[in-house]
Each structure stands twice: as structure tokens, then as C-alpha cells.
Amino acid sequence: MLRIFQRGCWRHWVVALGCMHLLGGPIAILQTVAWASMLVSYSVEDGLL
């Protein structure tokens, strides 16, 4: 029974990645990286507190 789920699991990943791409996934990832780099640069200058 477990082999049935493992064999068709790649299809679920392809569908999930396709949906993420259609919903603007690459732009969201790019924006998250930009916010993280700004957080790091501002925390080096002023600190988080």
C-alpha cells in the first residue's frame, strides 16, 4: 500500500510547484530574499532593538 503513494508522489510535487508558479511563487521568493537581506543590513547598522 505504501508503494502506491511513493510511486505517484512526484505528480503531487509537480502540481504543487505548478500552482505556486501560477500564483506568483518566483516573485514571492524574490521578495522574501530581498526583505531578509534588508533585515540583515539594517540590523548590522542599528541592531534589532
Side-chain angles (χ1 to χ4, degrees):
M1 186 74 170
L2 186 60
R3 290 183 182 173
I4 295 171
F5 293 120
Q6 290 176 347
R7 191 173 34 186
C9 184
W10 66 272
R11 293 178 186 156
H12 296 288
W13 283 107
V14 169
V15 170
L17 288 174
C19 289
M20 186 179 77
H21 181 71
L22 287 174
L23 293 173
I27 294 173
I29 292 170
L30 182 67
Q31 189 68 39
T32 303
V33 169
W35 285 339
S37 66
M38 285 190 303
L39 178 67
V40 168
S41 66
Y42 289 146
S43 66
V44 166
E45 293 173 5
D46 296 330
L48 290 175
L49 296 176

